[in-house]
């Protein structure tokens, strides 16, 4: 198995783990991962009527979810033993994606420090090639075993 094959396998494994938890990311089961590994991931998604906003185009919240999740998954292909949480997600909405179109989501880890990771995402219209959104995403890297919420159980 080549490094690219292993990266793609790990990317799909992370997608399956995260979407099977039943939370918000469960909506991303239909995301098709095209490539992954070494802190990067490329996916595509068909924009459905259920993804629309009141203007009939891809909802900004869905764009944010895609950017947050895909860049996090790309990061965790390399950093599988440590958890992370988002500290900042900056989105520049550039042109709306229409219902029925296919978008391509390209995520890259720009830098990984001791406590922070910096990621970038570009979302494009697959057929026409225009940029739908550009995203910068920062994450804090948690120490192994860190719990975010204390359980009352």
């Amino acid at each position: 198995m080549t490094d690219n094959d292993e990266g793609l396998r790990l990317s799909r494994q992370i997608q399956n783990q995260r979407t099977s938890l039943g939370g918000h990311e469960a909506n991303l089961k239909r995301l098709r991962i095209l490539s992954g590994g070494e802190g990067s991931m490329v996916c595509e998604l068909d924009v459905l009527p259920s993804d629309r906003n009141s203007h009939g185009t891809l909802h900004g919240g869905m764009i944010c979810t895609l950017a947050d999740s895909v860049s996090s998954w790309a990061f965790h292909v390399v950093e599988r033993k440590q958890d992370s949480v988002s500290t900042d997600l900056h989105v520049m909405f550039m042109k709306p994606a229409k219902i029925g179109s296919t978008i391509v989501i390209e995520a890259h880890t720009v830098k990984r420090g001791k406590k922070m990771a910096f990621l970038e995402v570009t979302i494009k219209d697959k057929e026409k090639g225009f940029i739908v959104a550009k995203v910068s995403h920062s994450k804090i890297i948690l120490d192994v075993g860190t719990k975010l919420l204390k359980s009352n159980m």
Side-chain angles (χ1 to χ4, degrees):
M1 187 178 287
T2 68
D3 286 342
N4 288 344
D5 291 340
E6 179 67 3
L8 183 58
R9 185 189 69 75
L10 289 169
S11 297
R12 290 179 175 155
Q13 181 181 29
I14 288 171
Q15 178 190 27
N16 288 335
Q17 288 170 345
R18 298 290 174 94
T19 59
S20 67
L21 295 175
H24 193 66
E25 286 182 312
N27 296 322
L28 302 182
K29 287 182 181 180
R30 62 191 169 94
L31 192 67
R32 296 181 300 278
I33 299 176
L34 305 177
S35 65
E38 299 182 14
S40 295
M41 188 177 292
V42 178
C43 307
E44 64 180 26
L45 182 78
D46 298 325
V47 181
L48 302 178
S50 59
D51 300 323
R52 70 179 167 82
N53 58 23
S54 61
H55 303 288
T57 60
L58 180 61
H59 195 286
M62 183 62 162
I63 290 172
C64 292
T65 295
L66 289 165
D68 184 3
S69 295
V70 174
S71 61
S72 295
W73 298 352
F75 175 72
H76 284 289
V77 167
V78 176
E79 299 294 335
R80 291 188 295 279
K81 294 182 180 171
Q82 288 187 280
D83 285 329
S84 65
V85 294
S86 298
T87 58
D88 180 66
L89 190 73
H90 177 80
V91 184
M92 293 184 294
F93 300 101
M94 303 178 98
K95 190 168 183 178
K98 294 182 179 178
I99 305 307
S101 66
T102 299
I103 55 171
V104 177
I105 304 98
E106 300 172 350
H108 305 282
T109 302
V110 176
K111 182 180 188 310
R112 190 246 196 254
K114 289 182 181 179
K115 293 286 183 183
M116 295 289 295
F118 304 93
L119 317 159
E120 290 181 341
V121 180
T122 301
I123 299 175
K124 298 179 182 177
D125 181 278
K126 182 178 181 179
E127 181 183 327
K128 298 181 180 172
F130 63 80
I131 296 174
V132 173
K134 295 278 284 180
V135 182
S136 60
H137 184 194
S138 304
K139 298 182 76 68
I140 190 166
I141 302 165
L142 302 174
D143 293 329
V144 175
T146 299
K147 299 287 185 203
L148 293 178
L149 297 174
K150 294 187 182 205
S151 175
N152 292 330
M153 300 173 99

